[in-house]
Amino acid sequence: MSKLSGITPSGHVHLGNHLGAVRRWALEGGVDDLYFVADLHGMTTSHNPARLRSLAREQLAVLIAAGIDPGRVFVQSDLTRELGALTWVLECTCNYGEAARMIQFKEKSKGQAGVRLSLLTYPALMAADILLQGADEVPVGEDQRQHVELTRTLAKRFNSTYGEVFTVPEAVLPPAGARVRDLTDPTRKMSKSTRDAAGVVFVLDEPDQVRRKIRRAVTDGGSVPVHAPDTRPGMANLLEILAACRGGSPADLAEEFSSYGAVKDAVADAVIEELRPLRERALTLLDDVAELDQVRKAGAERARERGSHRLDAALRMIGAC
């Protein structure tokens, strides 16, 4: 069984990405699993090309620095020719109504004067990502489950109409990861694309930046630390981050401290140590342009080789060659 997971370079990788997904990919990923930087998906709305390019390189370095086998990581745009061809095949398999009813398209296009066509056709590209690599499972949150269901529909339709080519994937909910909230507003998740970075710990932040952000984290009324997510979400967030870094349960960890300040100091120490090796390795990779380019090239070649026979078969069966 192989899995495929991607991360979009809409911003710098943050602590929530690391604790919730990237660390698990490195520790639990199988030899046939693939992970990719979904930079083409970052073009469906207005973006800065130079920033997108820089963020894609940064995310590639972070995935490798986290311990994922470099041979199982690639950048989506390095397969533009393959994905472009397969996306067209799948657009010729999909109908307008199926694409237009996607919830994300409705939400992101609502109230917009000029909506890019790519926002509508994005699910076909996502389907191409999955079907090109023959993934059996696609770990996704609820917001992306509908897209995987469309991928299944397109795979079945193509296979029944033209011939068996594609593995029909399953959408699976990933194991529950750390629930990391914004430090300045614990009612919302930590996000790469937030406009206010004060509450977001990025994995490449300097240790002093990490400590400063955590010390300024919002806490709640009271003086004795307790893990009470419903009534004290700020303190609960800090304790959950500490538990994800050190182990143990948030409730048990709360009993070790007599003040909020002590909790913040412990969380800062734990986060800095958790991120230290990743940060050092990622910065080394980013400084060594030649090495990172070579790793990127090798990952793209493996992904291309893995999917080329499926693309060739799909094109042949649909009548394109």
Side-chain angles (χ1 to χ4, degrees):
M1 298 289 285
S2 63
K3 297 183 179 68
L4 179 76
S5 295
I7 182 169
T8 302
S10 56
H12 301 291
V13 182
H14 59 68
L15 180 65
N17 299 140
H18 170 68
L19 295 177
V22 175
R23 184 175 66 172
R24 186 180 68 252
W25 294 349
L27 294 174
E28 302 174 7
V31 295
D32 292 323
D33 296 347
L34 287 180
Y35 306 97
F36 69 100
V37 178
D39 54 340
L40 296 179
H41 293 327
M43 301 177 188
T44 59
T45 55
S46 179
H47 67 282
N48 180 299
R51 184 172 187 269
L52 178 64
R53 187 177 298 112
S54 175
L55 288 172
R57 288 184 64 83
E58 179 183 303
Q59 288 197 357
L60 176 66
V62 167
L63 293 181
I64 296 166
I68 300 174
D69 180 352
R72 296 191 285 119
V73 179
F74 66 95
V75 177
Q76 186 185 32
S77 60
D78 290 339
L79 273 66
T80 299
R81 289 180 176 82
E82 291 79 10
L83 290 172
L86 186 52
T87 297
W88 179 250
V89 168
L90 295 173
E91 286 177 355
C92 293
T93 308
C94 187
N95 64 58
Y96 172 79
E98 289 171 324
R101 75 169 63 104
M102 295 292 106
I103 294 171
Q104 284 209 346
F105 171 71
K106 292 180 180 179
E107 291 179 347
K108 292 184 178 181
S109 63
K110 187 177 182 179
Q112 299 296 316
V115 178
R116 296 186 180 186
L117 182 60
S118 56
L119 192 61
L120 174 67
T121 60
Y122 156 78
L125 174 58
M126 182 174 172
D129 291 325
I130 298 166
L131 299 181
L132 182 67
Q133 301 302 331
D136 298 293
E137 295 181 348
V138 185
V140 290
E142 285 297 332
D143 61 331
Q144 291 290 337
R145 180 182 288 274
Q146 189 184 32
H147 290 164
V148 179
E149 289 304 315
L150 178 60
T151 299
R152 288 173 51 82
T153 296
L154 298 181
K156 292 176 181 178
R157 184 177 299 156
F158 186 98
N159 288 347
S160 63
T161 303
Y162 302 107
E164 291 287 332
V165 173
F166 299 120
T167 299
V168 179
E170 292 283 348
V172 296
L173 288 174
R179 187 185 68 169
V180 180
R181 301 290 177 174
D182 189 290
L183 296 175
T184 61
D185 183 1
T187 64
R188 68 188 185 194
K189 292 193 303 182
M190 198 171 280
S191 171
K192 297 194 297 292
S193 56
T194 186
R195 293 184 178 182
D196 182 5
V200 181
V201 174
F202 298 109
V203 299
L204 298 188
D205 277 348
E206 296 277 354
D208 286 347
Q209 288 178 287
V210 174
R211 190 174 298 279
R212 187 161 53 249
K213 288 179 179 180
I214 291 174
R215 281 179 174 169
R216 294 174 178 173
V218 168
T219 49
D220 320 285
S223 58
V224 179
V226 293
H227 182 248
D230 293 335
T231 58
R232 298 187 185 179
M235 178 50 58
N237 186 39
L238 291 173
L239 290 168
E240 287 165 13
I241 292 172
L242 183 61
C245 293
R246 274 182 31 180
S249 75
D252 290 342
L253 289 171
E255 297 179 0
E256 297 180 14
F257 304 98
S258 59
S259 70
Y260 280 21
V263 173
K264 289 183 175 181
D265 287 341
V267 173
D269 289 340
V271 170
I272 289 168
E273 288 308 308
E274 173 71 26
L275 297 180
R276 188 186 303 279
L278 184 156
R279 179 177 178 275
E280 291 175 353
R281 175 60 175 151
L283 291 177
T284 298
L285 279 169
L286 289 168
D287 286 340
D288 192 336
V289 176
E291 180 182 357
L292 188 57
D293 284 347
Q294 181 57 41
V295 168
R296 177 170 175 168
K297 181 180 178 181
E301 288 176 352
R302 176 174 179 182
R304 191 175 294 114
E305 290 171 1
R306 175 166 159 166
S308 61
H309 70 283
R310 294 186 189 89
L311 175 60
D312 291 344
L315 290 171
R316 184 174 64 254
M317 290 185 174
I318 204 170
C321 61

